[in-house]
Amino acid sequence: MQEVGFSYLSELNEKQRQAVEHIHGPVMVIAGPGSGKTRVLTYRIAHLINSGIAPWNILTLTFTNKAAREMKERIEKVVGQRANRMWAGTFHSIFARILRVEAHLIGYPNDFTIYDTDDSKSLIREITKTLGLDPKVYNNGAVRSRISGAKSNLITPKLYAENDDLMSLDRMNRRPMTYKIYEKYAARCKRAGAMDFDDLLLQMFRLLYENPNDVRTKYQMQFQYLLVDEFQDTNFLQFEILKLLTEYEGSQQNICIVGDDAQSIYSFRGATIENILQFENSYMNVATYKLEQNYRSTQSIVEAANSLIKFNKNQIQKKIWTDRLDGDKIKLIKVMTDSEEGRRVADGILEQKNRYHLANKEIAILYRTNGQSRIFEEWLRKYNIAYRIYGGTSFYQRKEVKDCIAYMRLTINPKDDEALKRVINYPRRGIGKTTIEQLIQIADDNNVSIWDCLTTIQFNGRAKQKLGKFVQLIQAMQQHAQAENAYKAALFIVRQSGIIDLLKADNSIEGKGRVENVTSLLDGIQEFVEDDEIVADEAIPVDKSMASFLQTISLMTDQDENKDNIDTVTMMSVHAAKGLEYKSVFVVGLEENLFPSFMALSSPDQIDEERRLFYVAITRAEQYLTLSYANSRYQYGNMRFNDPSRFLEELPESSMDNTVLKKSPSAGFGEPKIIGNFARKPAKAPVLQIDPSTFVATAMNKIKEGDNVLHLKFGKGEVLSIDERFVASIRFEQLNANAEKRIMLQYAKLQVLD
């Protein structure tokens, strides 16, 4: 008979209820995707309170304030206002709250300042300058990332300097003085009474470790029941703090962790999967409950996820299942180019909206890197489908992209004051704020552009030389833009401006992402230049200039959508998608060197994490899952030809609606081999395996009617006719038999076949 006040237990399945009702001792809840993890965590806390545990003796740690807030609201519905007296929040917010009371015990004022990322970078930049080090080599983003990693592993400046591995790696990266910057950074923070985000963890550990008989005991008695959400995302330092709070004489070790090792995807932030894999070795008599019923996804999606994750060696074994037998099988889009991938995905979204009556907000596009969003943004705009970038800004609104475009705008129109103000001292060239303000004032007083001031007014002192160099730089860019096509001009601008060198100096994850965005912009310009197809029968010559490109994207950068319109297709990286769900999900760019990332190919452990990332991606889908890859895409200014991702071959044939996938026994690590519809084409039809380095375009005047030709994008074809404007009509084998492409030979890259 159900006890009065415990009716919420009836909402749980058997495994969920067991995890909720097991109050004492260490508990590990392995929660598969869509298995009701939040409900279990919420009801477990409510059950603790209803069982007589004081709310203030319960500490719940999450990874987002939103999760903590929503959890409290849900608990309040079960136990009432008592929920407000429990401790729930992120690791950083809870520890900051404690340090506000206790910081004086470790030499900090209780009203210490918290430095954000910009504060930290600014201080590192100042220290680097004081030490006389090259700021391009000792990039503040890369150094900050190095310091953060050290703190997350309990490595102080002194220990850092004594660690041969760390010092050796710094020497290899030409930053042997990183330890000295770390030492001074820590001292300056202490002197300023400031902690950065990593310090909130490190100083909390110090507080507990250095004060075992008073402060540590105080909080051990305070927090008698600990619950940790998303435990697979914790780092070494976070787990060490939890151990200090739970490991003491007479402790019942009432710690409950909830997570899923198969969704551990944040190693680049310092998270270690070993925390959850080794949890049973860290505590005695751990009770483990596996939540294996998936309430979110259909059978085909769950079956694919199970098949995929089996290929990872180190994992907690479980088999996710669902009773949702409805829904389509997984669709696969195989295309020649990344641009075609964007179009086909947009087509697929339109089809689902019409056939299944899906709203935009029920659809998501997931990609491995943020730079991939550009193509999908462009096609969704063409189809008038509203979208939003989740966890980031629109591609053309990202700072590094806007910086590059500002240089391009200024090159084409030097009177563009907004573009000029944006780049005149970026990258830094010693043109100070005062000088810029004087220029703006002079321009306003004389009703002319700032560029007019720069080219007509004689300046004195150091400003004359620095402003003169800037003018010369823009004039050199103008000459290239007038003489070259948009891609060659853009490449010159990005290199000569110094932007790409500045971004490459930042080896942090964020820094690498910014470089990817700039290269993606260049790839888009290269595609613009090499798009040699003529629409319909238009006779107007194609303009491949920088001005033409800027005119093209100006329509894409106008933010004229209704900001209040929440019915939008969501686009985001897979990392940002964790914890979310959509009725329909498109996972794009499933190619070797992209997903999995080329940076992971040298390490089996990193390949496993990439596989977990794909596992997270496909389990975001409730009913419809579409996967896509392109045989070729522009990367770093060149057309690259790609193999489909090894992860595709790990999906079961029974889950796919249009593809037979089998694992080849001979496929080894780093050498994926795909059978069935993914089979590589035989030598007699090498259309998809064209090597750009050996492809030799035939001169325009050497191409004639009846020639068999090869095109990098469309493959093998026959020239049907050439008109007086040198526009060729070509029928390509791989396209529809009756379809013809009209191509301007002036811009085409065609190789005549013998």
Side-chain angles (χ1 to χ4, degrees):
M1 183 175 177
Q2 183 72 54
E3 293 182 57
V4 177
F6 289 75
S7 59
Y8 53 87
L9 295 175
S10 63
E11 300 177 26
L12 305 170
N13 65 34
E14 182 181 354
K15 282 293 183 184
Q16 291 173 334
R17 179 162 180 163
Q18 289 174 3
V20 166
E21 292 185 311
H22 191 128
I23 294 178
H24 302 296
V27 174
M28 178 166 67
V29 180
I30 302 300
S35 63
K37 169 183 72 72
T38 303
R39 172 174 290 189
V40 168
L41 193 57
T42 300
Y43 284 2
R44 179 179 170 84
I45 297 168
H47 194 67
L48 286 172
I49 296 173
N50 275 344
S51 299
I53 309 301
W56 51 87
N57 290 144
I58 301 171
L59 171 61
T60 302
L61 295 168
T62 66
F63 275 84
T64 66
N65 288 308
K66 179 183 177 184
R69 185 170 58 252
E70 291 177 350
M71 197 177 300
K72 272 191 173 182
E73 291 171 355
R74 293 174 69 166
I75 295 169
E76 188 176 336
K77 292 179 180 178
V78 180
V79 302
Q81 293 297 316
R82 289 179 293 171
N84 293 329
R85 303 192 66 185
M86 60 173 281
W87 288 59
T90 65
F91 282 86
H92 292 87
S93 65
I94 293 294
F95 295 165
R97 180 177 170 186
I98 293 172
L99 288 166
R100 288 294 181 202
V101 178
E102 315 287 358
H104 63 280
L105 297 173
I106 52 173
Y108 284 84
N110 288 353
D111 58 350
F112 59 88
T113 298
I114 297 178
Y115 277 175
D116 63 15
T117 301
D118 288 340
D119 294 325
S120 296
K121 286 184 175 181
S122 177
L123 179 54
I124 290 170
R125 187 183 301 115
E126 182 181 330
I127 293 170
T128 302
K129 182 178 180 181
T130 301
L131 291 174
L133 302 173
D134 186 345
K136 293 182 179 178
V137 176
Y138 289 87
N139 176 271
N140 58 72
V143 173
R144 177 183 172 276
S145 179
R146 197 81 173 132
I147 293 173
S148 176
K151 290 181 178 181
S152 295
N153 286 283
L154 275 176
I155 299 173
T156 63
K158 184 175 185 297
L159 293 175
Y160 192 108
E162 296 171 352
N163 188 303
D164 291 338
D165 290 337
L166 293 175
M167 296 295 287
S168 176
L169 185 58
D170 285 342
R171 285 192 294 271
M172 186 174 69
N173 289 326
R174 300 189 302 119
R175 299 192 190 102
M177 295 295 286
T178 299
Y179 80 97
K180 180 61 70 175
I181 298 176
Y182 182 16
E183 177 186 288
K184 289 189 173 295
Y185 176 81
R188 287 286 299 272
C189 286
K190 185 75 175 291
R191 189 179 80 187
M195 298 186 196
D196 62 21
F197 291 132
D198 296 303
D199 280 325
L200 295 176
L201 303 181
L202 181 61
Q203 302 308 330
M204 180 66 185
F205 177 86
R206 276 192 60 211
L207 176 70
L208 298 176
Y209 186 80
E210 295 177 4
N211 299 275
N213 298 322
D214 44 14
V215 178
R216 194 194 310 176
T217 299
K218 171 184 174 181
Y219 289 103
Q220 286 169 344
M221 295 301 100
Q222 170 87 54
F223 304 130
Q224 295 179 25
Y225 293 83
L226 272 70
L227 299 95
V228 186
D229 191 17
E230 304 287 7
F231 189 72
Q232 77 279 348
D233 295 335
T234 55
N235 62 30
F236 174 79
L237 178 53
Q238 287 165 327
F239 195 14
E240 290 303 306
I241 295 171
L242 295 174
K243 289 177 182 177
L244 287 179
L245 290 171
T246 56
E247 294 180 349
Y248 57 93
E249 186 176 351
S251 170
Q252 291 183 301
Q253 297 188 330
N254 297 321
I255 179 171
C256 173
I257 64 148
V258 181
D260 182 8
D261 60 295
Q263 297 185 64
S264 178
I265 59 174
Y266 293 121
S267 66
F268 66 91
R269 293 181 186 169
T272 171
I273 193 174
E274 295 303 315
N275 284 355
I276 194 167
L277 294 180
Q278 301 299 323
F279 185 77
E280 291 177 309
N281 297 330
S282 300
Y283 290 91
M284 297 283 292
N285 303 315
V286 175
T288 300
Y289 300 97
K290 298 178 182 179
L291 308 184
E292 297 174 303
Q293 182 175 2
N294 182 301
Y295 292 93
R296 174 190 301 154
S297 306
T298 59
Q299 175 65 29
S300 294
I301 297 169
V302 170
E303 184 182 55
N306 280 331
S307 176
L308 174 77
I309 206 64
K310 283 192 305 184
F311 286 86
N312 275 11
K313 294 180 180 179
N314 297 321
Q315 61 177 298
I316 298 171
Q317 294 298 324
K318 58 184 175 298
K319 186 172 179 63
I320 307 303
W321 63 277
T322 182
D323 56 11
R324 288 194 59 192
L325 304 181
D326 60 326
D328 294 357
K329 290 191 175 183
I330 300 169
K331 288 184 170 57
L332 180 69
I333 296 174
K334 301 174 288 183
V335 296
M336 285 291 296
T337 67
D338 50 353
S339 179
E340 188 181 355
E341 181 185 32
R343 179 181 64 81
R344 289 283 301 277
V345 167
D347 284 339
I349 290 173
L350 275 181
E351 180 184 358
Q352 290 185 350
K353 284 164 61 67
N354 293 329
R355 178 179 295 183
Y356 306 121
H357 307 292
L358 297 185
N360 288 331
K361 63 184 177 183
E362 295 178 303
I363 303 170
I365 300 173
L366 307 183
Y367 33 73
R368 178 62 182 84
T369 65
N370 285 318
Q372 291 171 255
S373 74
R374 174 185 59 82
I375 288 171
F376 301 99
E377 288 188 66
E378 292 175 2
W379 280 103
L380 292 181
R381 284 180 181 273
K382 288 178 182 178
Y383 282 36
N384 200 28
I385 299 174
Y387 70 88
R388 65 170 179 147
I389 304 292
Y390 184 97
T393 54
S394 171
F395 180 83
Y396 288 106
Q397 293 302 309
R398 291 169 188 162
K399 180 185 181 303
E400 57 276 9
V401 174
K402 292 184 73 173
D403 290 334
C404 292
I405 290 175
Y407 268 106
M408 297 174 196
R409 285 168 47 191
L410 189 61
T411 298
I412 300 305
N413 175 21
K415 294 182 183 293
D416 186 336
D417 280 354
E418 293 306 310
L420 188 147
K421 286 189 290 185
R422 185 179 185 95
V423 302
I424 190 171
N425 196 39
Y426 180 80
R428 292 180 182 275
R429 50 177 60 90
I431 300 175
K433 183 179 178 181
T434 301
T435 301
I436 296 172
E437 289 175 347
Q438 288 175 348
L439 280 169
I440 295 171
Q441 188 62 53
I442 294 171
D444 287 344
D445 291 344
N446 292 277
N447 196 27
V448 296
S449 69
I450 299 175
W451 179 260
D452 289 333
C453 295
L454 288 173
T455 54
T456 58
I457 296 177
Q458 293 294 319
F459 292 88
N460 299 319
R462 292 189 302 173
K464 177 180 180 179
Q465 182 181 9
K466 291 171 182 176
L467 292 173
K469 285 185 176 180
F470 176 70
V471 169
Q472 291 171 8
L473 173 66
I474 301 303
Q475 289 173 338
M477 292 177 177
Q478 288 175 316
Q479 291 174 4
H480 267 75
Q482 292 167 2
E484 305 284 2
N485 64 37
Y487 175 70
K488 291 182 179 179
L491 197 59
F492 180 84
I493 288 169
V494 168
R495 288 173 175 171
Q496 294 301 312
S497 67
I499 287 179
I500 197 67
D501 290 335
L502 179 68
L503 296 178
K504 283 182 176 179
D506 184 351
N507 289 329
S508 67
I509 296 296
E510 296 82 0
K512 291 176 181 176
R514 286 188 279 272
V515 173
E516 287 177 354
N517 289 334
V518 172
T519 57
S520 182
L521 172 65
L522 292 172
D523 292 340
I525 301 174
Q526 175 82 324
E527 184 177 4
F528 166 82
V529 169
E530 303 223 349
D531 185 5
D532 44 29
E533 183 180 356
I534 292 183
V535 179
D537 289 320
E538 293 181 11
I540 301 174
V542 179
D543 184 357
K544 303 295 182 179
S545 68
M546 175 67 69
S548 178
F549 171 76
L550 291 175
Q551 178 178 317
T552 300
I553 66 167
S554 66
L555 299 175
M556 298 179 182
T557 56
D558 287 338
Q559 300 299 303
D560 53 358
E561 299 104 334
N562 181 0
K563 300 296 184 181
D564 297 323
N565 178 16
I566 61 172
D567 185 30
T568 54
V569 171
T570 300
M571 294 200 295
M572 70 185 101
S573 70
V574 182
H575 282 103
K578 188 166 172 290
L580 303 175
E581 57 187 49
Y582 296 88
K583 188 161 286 187
S584 173
V585 170
F586 291 77
V587 186
V588 300
L590 285 163
E591 301 137 30
E592 286 293 299
N593 297 314
L594 184 55
F595 202 172
S597 166
F598 72 92
M599 292 187 291
L601 298 183
S602 62
S603 166
D605 287 342
Q606 290 184 39
I607 287 291
D608 281 357
E609 177 154 335
E610 292 285 304
R611 186 176 287 108
R612 292 194 295 270
L613 191 60
F614 185 40
Y615 178 87
V616 167
I618 64 180
T619 55
R620 300 310 93 198
E622 298 176 7
Q623 194 158 0
Y624 308 107
L625 176 61
T626 306
L627 312 176
S628 71
Y629 74 90
N631 288 114
S632 63
R633 69 174 63 241
Y634 280 102
Q635 289 179 293
Y636 305 103
N638 296 310
M639 176 73 80
R640 302 291 177 92
F641 293 86
N642 313 304
D643 287 326
S645 171
R646 68 190 67 196
F647 300 148
L648 290 171
E649 68 188 42
E650 297 170 357
L651 302 180
E653 177 182 340
S654 58
S655 294
M656 311 298 293
D657 79 340
N658 59 351
T659 305
V660 178
L661 298 169
K662 294 181 180 178
K663 179 75 176 177
S664 166
S666 63
F669 174 71
E671 291 288 338
K673 186 175 178 64
I674 301 180
I675 311 300
N677 285 358
F678 283 105
R680 296 174 183 172
K681 291 189 176 294
K684 64 181 180 180
V687 175
L688 301 186
Q689 299 297 320
I690 303 169
D691 184 350
S693 64
T694 60
F695 179 89
V696 179
T698 302
M700 179 179 71
N701 58 3
K702 298 281 183 69
I703 301 172
K704 60 185 183 299
E705 292 180 8
D707 281 347
N708 291 319
V709 294
L710 198 62
H711 187 280
L712 279 172
K713 182 175 180 180
F714 302 118
K716 188 176 179 182
E718 180 186 358
V719 179
L720 302 179
S721 64
I722 302 175
D723 66 19
E724 67 279 1
R725 296 163 298 155
F726 292 99
V727 176
S729 294
I730 304 175
R731 180 180 293 130
F732 290 98
E733 292 180 356
Q734 67 188 36
L735 302 179
N736 186 296
N738 296 317
E740 297 178 11
K741 291 285 184 184
R742 288 175 51 76
I743 290 178
M744 290 191 71
L745 295 181
Q746 179 183 355
Y747 296 107
K749 289 187 177 180
L750 295 170
Q751 179 179 348
V752 175
L753 301 176
D754 296 331

